[in-house]
Amino acid sequence: MTQEIIETCLEEAYPLCLELPRQKKHVSFVFYKNRVVARGRNFFKTHPKAKEIGYPFDEMHSELDAMRKIPEELIGKKLTLMNVRYNRFGQLRMSKPCCLCLPWCKEVFSEIYYSTDEGIVKLEY
């Protein structure tokens, strides 16, 4: 993933994160061939898949919301996930997929990137 793509996603994610009415503001992007094909965000809406995964209160995590929006013809292709989290002060924060998301994310995505307090890093697995 190029630095230009990362910067573009950070710019897009910032206002999306700030409008989320919760403390932890996560946005996920799914890429296919360096093109965004799905976006997701965490929110309080429940979902049967969230219950199946075991999320607390069956709330939707941004990774799951983005995965649900991947076009059917791209399922099984080489997809990349990028998670971004901003706090209420507009500072990047840790957005590594949680212990419930990480196992299925590793199965679905060939690469996973996430924000830290210092910037964007790639998950090596």
Side-chain angles (χ1 to χ4, degrees), residues 3-116:
Q3 189 61 35
E4 183 179 345
I5 292 171
I6 290 171
E7 293 298 325
T8 300
C9 284
L10 290 176
E11 288 175 20
E12 183 179 338
Y14 181 70
L16 295 174
C17 285
L18 293 183
E19 70 185 31
L20 291 172
R22 55 185 310 147
Q23 186 176 6
K24 295 186 178 176
K25 303 166 183 291
H26 293 252
V27 174
S28 295
F29 298 91
V30 177
F31 295 88
Y32 177 67
K33 295 185 177 181
N34 291 325
R35 185 175 52 96
V36 175
V37 295
R39 292 167 183 79
R41 61 186 181 90
N42 60 335
F43 55 98
F44 294 115
K45 182 179 178 184
T46 61
H47 190 275
K49 186 71 173 172
K51 182 180 182 98
E52 180 183 315
I53 292 170
Y55 294 156
F57 312 110
D58 306 334
E59 294 176 359
M60 184 93 59
H61 288 200
S62 63
E63 299 91 338
L64 178 59
D65 187 35
M67 185 190 71
R68 294 179 326 112
K69 297 174 181 175
I70 297 170
E72 195 171 313
E73 65 271 12
L74 297 180
I75 301 297
K77 304 278 186 180
K78 187 175 178 182
L79 300 171
T80 299
L81 173 71
M82 186 168 92
N83 278 349
V84 177
R85 175 181 162 211
Y86 283 98
N87 67 12
R88 64 183 178 173
F89 304 110
Q91 301 162 321
L92 276 178
R93 291 294 180 243
M94 177 61 72
S95 67
K96 183 177 180 179
C98 73
C99 62
L100 296 172
C101 290
L102 197 53
W104 69 260
C105 282
K106 287 180 176 181
E107 291 178 15
V108 173
F109 303 107
S110 58
E111 294 182 320
I112 299 172
Y113 293 82
Y114 59 93
S115 63
T116 66

